[in-house]
Every structure is written in C-alpha cells, then in structure tokens.
Amino acid sequence: MEALIPVINKLQDVFNTVGADIIHLPQIAVVGTQSSGKSSVLESLVGRDILPRGTGIVTRRPLILQLVHVEPEDLRKTSEENGIDGDEWGKFLHAKNKIFSDFEEIRQEIVAETERMSGNNKGICDEPIHLKIFSPHVVNLTLVDLPGITKLPVGDQPKDIEIQIRDLIVKYISNPNSIILAVTAANTDMATSEALKVAREVDPDGRRTLAVVTKLDLMDAGTDAMDVLMGRVIPVKLGIIGIVNRSQLDINQKKSVADSIRDEYAFLQKKYPSLANRNGTKYLARTLNRLLMHHIRDCLPELKTRINVLAAQYQSLLNSYGEPVEEKSATLLQLITKFAAEYCHTIEGTAKYIETAELCGGARICYIFHETFGRTLESVDPLGGLTTIDVLTAIRNATGPRPALFVPEVSFELLVKRQIKRLEEPSLRCVELVHEEMQRIIQHCSNYSTQELLRFPKLHDAIVEVVTALLRKRLPVTNEMVHNLVGIELAYINTKHPDFADACGLMNNNIEEQRRNRMRDLPPAVPRDKSLKGPGGHSISPSEPPAPELEVIKAAAGGGSQGGSAGEQVDGSTGSWRGMLKRGEEGGSADRAMSQYPVPSSPHRGHAVNLLDVPVPVSRKLSAREQRDCEVIERLIKSYFLIVRKNIQDSVPKAVMHFLVNHVKDSLQSELVGQLYKTVLLDDLLTESEDMAQRRNEAGDMLKALQRASQVIAEIRETHLW
C-alpha cells in the first residue's frame, strides 16, 4: 500500500500537463496563522531549508509539495541519468525539465515565482507552485503550503486580504479528498486556534483533521502542553502531535534540520517522557504517510468512477462539435423530435444504433422483470425467517388464556401476512431498477443516436432535466401502485381461492390416510369398533366423520395434556383447513394420554408452590400434536404464499409498464416541446461557443489526460495495490 502515494503523484503529473483541477486528488493541506510554524513543519518533513523566510506574510501562493522517496538502489541510476551530484534534488512544473540540486536555489526560485504572479505588494495569488522533492530521506507525501491566516492588512496589502486568504484556504481544504493539517503554536490558547476553527467549518465531524502543536519549547515557565497533547482541551479525532521548531537564531546559525530533530527528541524525552514516542517530527511524518495512504485507498474507487465519467463526457463532447446552425427554430424542433423518437425506439428495441456490449433500453427492462425481479421473488423462501418455535408461539398467542381445541385461524393469517410483506421490498427495487434504466437511456440516446445534440450543451442539459423531471414525477405514482398491490394481498386473505382450496383438500386427504393407517396399527387387545364408540354406545363408521361431541372430548384430552391451542368452532368440511387437525386425531390417544400423565396431586399443606420459580424451557422437543399443528400451519403458509407470489410476479411488471414506462413514452414528445420549444429560448438553447476550435483542442487534451489517468489506476488493480 506504500506505492499508492506515488500513484497519486503520477495522476497529479498527468493533470498538471493540461492545467486541470477538475479532479480532486488526495493531499495534505497545511493551515495555520502567520508565524505559527507552518513552514518549519514542512521543512522538518523535507529535511532541508527550501521555503522563504521573513516577517509578515511570506507564503503568498499555494505551494503543492510532492515528496518522492527514492530507494538507495534506484538513486545511483537516477542520478546518472539526470547528471546530478548528490542524493537529493527538486523539480518545478513551470521550469519544465530543469533539475535543482541546490536547495538554496530552490528557495530563490520559489521567491521569484511568487513575485512574478503575486507582485511585490504582499498580495496573494491562488495559482499554485508545483514542486517535487526527490530524496531517500523523505516519506511519500503530497502537501499544500497555504498562506497564513491574517486579520489586518500590512503595508500596501489589499484591504480585503483577510477574506482573500480565507477563501483561498477554504478552496483547498473543502476538497473532500484532502487531509487538513491544522498548525497551532503551543504558546497560544488552543481554544482560540484559527486553524482548527476554519477546519471545523468544512470538516465538522473532524474525520480528516490532524492537529499539530508547534513551539513546545517556547511555553511560559511552569506550564506545559500535556492537557493539549492528550486532547483534553480540544479533542481531535485524528490526533494531536507536538513538535519543536527551529528558532530564528538556529536558522541564522545554519543549524541543520537533522540536528534540530535530535534536539527535539531530547527535549521530548526530558519534558514529556510519557508522550515522547507519540510526538515529534519523525512521528508526524509517519502518521501523515499512514493517514494519506489510507485516505488514498478510500478515495480511489470514487476517483476511478469520477475519471471514467469525465472520460465519457469529454469523448462525447469531442464528437459533438460541428458546423454553426442557421435555422435555429427548425433545428431545435428537429433535435427535440429526434431525441424523443430515439428514446422511444430504444425502449421498443427498434433503435438505429443497437448496443452490442450490454443490454440497454427495453431489453434491460425485460431482463429486470423476468430475470432479476423474477428470480429474486423465486429465491424468497415462503417460510424464511420463521422457525417452528415462532409458529408454535403464534398459535399459542392466538388462543388467549383458554386451552385450544383446534389450530386458530388468526395465527395463520398473522404469519402469512408477515411473509407476504417480504415481497414488497423486491417489488419496489424492481421499480427503482427500471427507473434507473430509463435514466440511462437518456445518455445512451445522446452518445449513439443524437450526437449532434451535444453540440449545444444547454439544450442537452435542458432535455436531460425535462426527462429526469418527468421520470421523477412518475416514480412516486408507480411506487404507490406497487405498495397498493402488496397492500391488496394483505388486506384480504382469501382462503377460498381455488388453488388454495385444492391444496387444503390434498392435505386433508393425506392426513385422513395417515389416520386410517394408525387405526389399522392399533393393538389387537383393543376392539376396533370399541375405539369408535360414540356417546351412548353408538357405533361410528371409520368413513363417517365422528360426532362433534366425541371430537371435542378427544381434542380436549389431547390439548389438556399438551397445553394445546384453541379454536372457535368445529368444521368438519373436507375443504376447510380448520378441519385438518380434527381429522388427524387418533381414536385412543386421549385415553392413553390421560393414563400416562395423571393429574398431579395438590401440594402438602405448609408447602406452597411459587409458580414464578418454575423454569420455562427455552428449547424442547415438541409433542406429536404440536408438531402436527406447526406442520399444518407451515404447509398452509407455503401454499398461500406461492399463490400471492405468483400474483405479485405478474402484476408488478404490468404496473411499472403502465404507470412509468408507457406513460413516459406517450408524453415525452409533448413534454419536451411544451417546455423547450419557445421563441425566447431559441438563442440560449442553441448557443455555440465562439472559440469552438480551441474548445475542441482542449477537450482532446483533457480526454488524453483522463485516459492516461485511467491507465494509471488500472495499473493499481494489476499490481494488487488497491
């Protein structure tokens, strides 16, 4: 991951060649008041004296400083190729291929370039100076040295110098891909730090702000910066690092940066021994390197997308330039009509330009309906998210305080509605995908069908805005209809649905067959006709439904021993799901259950039973009846869910086509003409730039830069750095 920073340096070089700042690359912006020690911090990171020194405002132009670490094995080869004596050198972007091996010469070049653009009146300029430093003693970093924050103009400075500097600083630190290095002197109150104040304005969460406290050795006697460095005064998410700057006397006496760093380490060990390993220039360099690498890694996906989008836009722009237009009214109507026709043809699959790389238009909408949406619905498990314990709990909760005779219908409706509700999210996602595809069709028509439309950017933007507004207006209507489709299914659970009744009848027959098999397996000692005696000794034929009284007794016996569920009435009809459990009851189960589980006797006197002390089992083996009840409910849920899923799978695409796709197709032409075909808009919409040739050249150069940048990012994937 260390190689990510050189990759960003390559991207910076690519965009420097075209002078473009449309891509915000990750970098570290150094912010602080005048004389807070910003320049000293940068020189400590470089290890050399390279920045102008003096009183008042010295940094009057942004300095983009790229530190490039050169490996020792590459140092000799690079030095020989460039004819350099030494292991450190610098390059300026404005000086082309000139190499500066004398750092005093680098300092003079910065002063000269600053005065060339900013003048001699202590004014500022927002045009940056690009400087690269190659050295084996630096870590890979990209820093931006900004003018120090000031309050009052000095000498012949402009009266609004404070506003100019502040706007310049905000311009750089507003870049979401930048890290803010807020520099504050230790001999000032941290609560009044202007650097932290302006950083908090653009980074209120503090996710990309690192604080540096300078001049630790200049604090008043008897005070220290322990609370500040520990974050007790002003907490900073990325941390607070303290350093010791070189004094002006040290600079005048030509004290080297290396000696200054050694003295800094000794000072920290003496004054702040517990914090020495988390402060100092070396720790600051490592921290900045680590933060920048992680920041680059996080920004690369968005950066890649941004570059690809811009490359596509500049390619389209380059292809769109043509001859001037004479008949503006006819041209406008022709472009609008052609765009509307091509948009509809793309949906219908009759467009002149057929995409061969990927599905688009109506073909993708069809794919969304029958592949994406259809398979998503089919992958939804009818019993997903439901456990046997959930079903049993729902059955028990639906019975209230009374022991149950039959499986309550309320539990089935409650559980099946819960499962049907799961179909709403994929249905709304289907609408969203179709809406996105219809939005993509706009770009498709611009790229392949009506390229001459791109000659007029205002007209193109206006058309995109009108179509986008039309799609946006239809989206809530379509979503509401899909909501209603699911709501309709939830509003009434139709247990008389033919498919559902057939499923219930088939399950009843299976349960009846199981009951008969159990009857044949009764022990020989038990008379078969005796087991079917009803009240009063009347015999009941196995093929006839038992008397309701007998069923109630059997159900009550089975339910009393197992704490079963409740029902409101006995329904013995073959097609009713409430009768399935009744037909599954075996004849002698109640008597055997009563004999195996006698009624517990009352506790002895003087030994009260505390019901709250009885443990409630979290998981246990279900009884035969409980298993049977749960199985019935699960089969019913699955059967009815499949019916509803089939309805939703059929009705949602129809609703999307009617309320979104077809409506947009039918009203697009009239909407575009009504909104754009106006006399007062002709000149504005069909305005071409006077410097068309220059723009064409600039677009070509920018496209080449974006393509090179895309290749650089592609190398990251190939080398597994990303």
Side-chain angles (χ1 to χ4, degrees):
M1 195 168 65
E2 178 72 23
L4 287 177
I5 298 179
V7 169
I8 293 299
N9 291 339
K10 290 182 181 179
L11 293 178
Q12 185 72 58
D13 294 341
V14 167
F15 291 112
N16 286 342
T17 59
V18 293
D21 57 354
I22 58 175
I23 298 292
H24 298 298
L25 298 175
Q27 56 192 8
I28 301 172
V30 185
V31 182
T33 57
Q34 286 185 16
S35 303
S36 61
K38 297 192 288 46
S39 298
S40 296
V41 172
L42 292 176
E43 288 182 340
S44 298
L45 296 174
V46 176
R48 287 299 198 99
D49 296 331
I50 60 171
L51 300 177
R53 292 283 183 170
T55 58
I57 183 170
V58 177
T59 304
R60 297 188 287 133
R61 287 182 63 183
L63 174 65
I64 299 179
L65 179 62
Q66 294 176 256
L67 304 183
V68 181
H69 177 76
V70 182
E71 295 294 340
E73 55 269 19
D74 299 332
L75 185 61
R76 179 180 301 175
K77 179 181 177 181
T78 307
S79 300
E80 292 176 355
E81 291 178 354
N82 297 316
I84 303 171
D85 294 332
D87 57 355
E88 295 177 303
W89 68 93
K91 286 183 178 181
F92 285 96
L93 178 64
H94 64 269
K96 302 302 179 183
N97 296 324
K98 183 178 180 181
I99 297 176
F100 296 81
S101 57
D102 184 0
F103 282 85
E104 182 61 31
E105 189 178 356
I106 291 178
R107 185 208 301 265
Q108 295 174 0
E109 183 66 22
I110 293 176
V111 173
E113 185 64 14
T114 300
E115 293 181 351
R116 184 178 68 85
M117 296 293 295
S118 305
N120 299 321
N121 64 341
K122 298 296 183 179
I124 66 170
C125 175
D126 60 356
E127 186 70 23
I129 300 174
H130 294 268
L131 171 61
K132 266 190 174 183
I133 299 295
F134 300 84
S135 171
H137 309 299
V138 299
V139 295
N140 291 309
L141 287 176
T142 300
L143 305 111
V144 182
D145 186 20
L146 296 169
I149 301 173
T150 185
K151 291 296 184 181
L152 299 174
V154 177
D156 54 355
Q157 284 183 340
K159 294 183 179 180
D160 61 342
I161 187 67
E162 177 186 1
I163 299 176
Q164 290 184 23
I165 294 176
R166 186 178 184 84
D167 292 343
L168 178 60
I169 292 174
V170 170
K171 173 184 175 182
Y172 278 87
I173 66 176
S174 296
N175 172 13
N177 295 335
S178 68
I179 296 175
I180 305 172
L181 192 66
V183 179
T184 304
N187 55 0
T188 62
D189 191 349
M190 190 76 168
T192 63
S193 172
E194 288 289 336
L196 288 176
K197 178 183 177 182
V198 71
R200 187 167 294 181
E201 291 177 3
V202 298
D203 182 31
D205 297 333
R207 296 180 179 178
R208 51 189 184 92
T209 301
L210 175 69
V212 174
V213 179
T214 61
K215 304 180 182 180
L216 290 176
D217 56 333
L218 298 183
M219 298 188 68
D220 293 339
T223 63
D224 59 34
M226 184 68 71
D227 290 341
V228 172
L229 297 178
M230 294 291 290
R232 297 168 185 164
V233 179
I234 302 292
V236 180
K237 283 189 177 181
L238 295 185
I240 302 174
I241 300 176
I243 66 172
V244 177
N245 303 85
R246 289 184 300 167
S247 65
Q248 189 60 45
L249 179 62
D250 294 335
I251 297 173
N252 296 338
Q253 294 177 352
K254 304 297 181 180
K255 183 178 181 180
S256 67
V257 175
D259 293 339
S260 176
I261 292 177
R262 282 194 295 269
D263 293 344
E264 175 191 56
Y265 179 77
F267 174 83
L268 291 174
Q269 288 289 345
K270 178 181 178 181
K271 189 71 175 179
Y272 304 97
S274 61
L275 301 178
N277 59 341
R278 288 180 292 167
N279 290 276
T281 301
K282 290 186 176 180
Y283 180 77
L284 175 62
R286 293 195 303 269
T287 302
L288 290 176
N289 180 261
R290 174 177 55 83
L291 290 176
L292 188 58
M293 284 191 299
H294 287 285
H295 200 61
I296 291 173
R297 183 192 60 188
D298 296 338
C299 295
L300 272 180
E302 181 182 352
L303 191 62
K304 176 179 179 296
T305 302
R306 174 68 174 163
I307 290 175
N308 291 339
V309 170
L310 287 173
Q313 292 176 353
Y314 274 92
Q315 180 66 61
S316 301
L317 183 62
L318 188 62
N319 296 334
S320 65
Y321 293 125
E323 299 298 327
V325 177
E326 296 181 359
E327 294 292 335
K328 292 187 177 181
S329 179
T331 301
L332 178 60
L333 184 59
Q334 178 185 0
L335 290 174
I336 290 176
T337 303
K338 186 174 182 180
F339 178 87
E342 290 295 337
Y343 190 91
C344 296
H345 291 162
T346 304
I347 295 177
E348 296 168 357
T350 59
K352 181 179 179 181
Y353 297 91
I354 301 298
E355 177 66 55
T356 58
E358 62 177 357
L359 294 176
C360 68
R364 181 176 286 273
I365 293 175
C366 179
Y367 183 87
I368 292 171
F369 285 156
H370 301 291
E371 296 294 332
T372 306
F373 178 60
R375 290 183 179 179
T376 301
L377 287 189
E378 291 173 359
S379 66
V380 178
D381 184 7
L383 300 176
L386 281 182
T387 63
T388 304
I389 297 299
D390 294 337
V391 177
L392 182 61
T393 302
I395 294 174
R396 288 185 170 183
N397 286 336
T399 63
R402 299 173 300 280
L405 298 178
F406 310 107
V407 180
E409 184 174 357
V410 175
S411 61
F412 162 71
E413 290 196 4
L414 175 66
L415 294 174
V416 80
K417 286 182 178 180
R418 170 179 167 182
Q419 299 305 99
I420 292 173
K421 186 68 176 175
R422 299 170 59 210
L423 298 175
E424 184 174 23
E425 182 178 352
S427 301
L428 294 175
R429 178 57 180 162
C430 176
V431 178
E432 182 182 352
L433 290 175
V434 174
H435 177 268
E436 291 176 358
E437 177 56 29
M438 296 191 72
Q439 192 74 33
R440 288 178 67 247
I441 295 176
I442 303 174
Q443 188 65 32
H444 174 80
C445 293
S446 301
N447 291 340
Y448 298 99
S449 304
T450 56
Q451 292 185 0
E452 63 270 23
L453 180 64
L454 300 181
R455 294 173 54 191
F456 315 102
K458 290 186 178 180
L459 176 60
H460 177 264
D461 294 342
I463 289 178
V464 171
E465 183 178 353
V466 171
V467 180
T468 303
L470 180 60
L471 290 172
R472 192 186 305 116
K473 183 170 64 175
R474 298 305 302 172
L475 185 59
V477 178
T478 310
N479 283 335
E480 182 65 23
M481 184 59 196
V482 172
H483 277 296
N484 290 338
L485 289 176
V486 179
I488 288 170
E489 298 293 345
L490 293 172
Y492 181 64
I493 305 301
N494 182 16
T495 56
K496 292 297 183 181
H497 192 284
D499 296 340
F500 188 64
D502 292 343
C504 291
L506 181 60
M507 281 188 284
N508 278 341
N509 293 336
N510 292 338
I511 295 176
E512 180 68 19
E513 183 66 25
Q514 294 175 6
R515 187 184 69 82
R516 291 177 179 177
N517 292 338
R518 287 196 298 271
M519 293 296 294
R520 285 195 298 268
D521 295 338
L522 285 175
V526 181
R528 192 177 302 271
D529 56 345
K530 183 177 179 181
S531 64
L532 298 177
K533 291 292 183 179
H538 298 290
S539 177
I540 301 175
S541 173
S543 61
E544 297 176 354
E549 296 84 358
L550 180 60
E551 282 299 323
V552 171
I553 292 173
K554 290 179 179 179
S561 62
Q562 302 294 340
S565 49
E568 293 182 357
Q569 62 180 3
V570 177
D571 189 348
S573 60
T574 305
S576 173
W577 68 272
R578 290 191 295 269
M580 284 190 291
L581 179 62
K582 176 186 70 179
R583 292 186 176 275
E585 291 291 341
E586 54 183 301
S589 62
D591 296 336
R592 290 196 299 271
M594 293 292 290
S595 62
Q596 293 176 4
Y597 299 94
V599 178
S601 59
S602 302
H604 296 290
R605 294 184 179 181
H607 299 278
V609 177
N610 185 0
L611 296 179
L612 298 179
D613 292 338
V614 179
V616 179
V618 178
S619 61
R620 59 178 176 80
K621 184 177 180 181
L622 302 182
S623 66
R625 173 168 181 175
E626 289 173 336
Q627 292 178 350
R628 196 160 57 249
D629 291 352
C630 293
E631 183 179 354
V632 169
I633 289 293
E634 289 175 354
R635 289 183 178 180
L636 289 172
I637 290 174
K638 183 175 182 180
S639 175
Y640 195 83
F641 180 86
L642 295 179
I643 296 172
V644 174
R645 186 174 71 183
K646 183 178 179 181
N647 294 341
I648 294 295
Q649 191 170 352
D650 178 66
S651 58
V652 167
K654 293 178 179 178
V656 174
M657 287 298 298
H658 176 71
F659 287 94
L660 182 60
V661 180
N662 290 342
H663 188 280
V664 171
K665 282 173 50 183
D666 296 340
S667 59
L668 180 60
Q669 171 78 17
S670 59
E671 191 76 16
L672 287 172
V673 173
Q675 294 286 341
L676 303 179
Y677 190 65
K678 299 177 181 179
T679 305
V680 295
L681 298 177
L682 283 177
D683 294 336
D684 185 51
L685 293 177
L686 298 180
T687 299
E688 284 186 318
S689 175
E690 297 178 358
D691 52 348
M692 186 64 68
Q694 180 181 354
R695 291 173 59 187
R696 187 180 294 109
N697 293 334
E698 291 176 353
D701 294 340
M702 179 58 67
L703 181 60
K704 292 179 182 178
L706 290 169
Q707 290 172 345
R708 289 198 301 271
S710 182
Q711 292 175 358
V712 171
I713 294 183
E715 294 174 0
I716 302 176
R717 285 189 176 275
E718 294 176 0
T719 54
H720 306 286
L721 293 176
W722 187 351

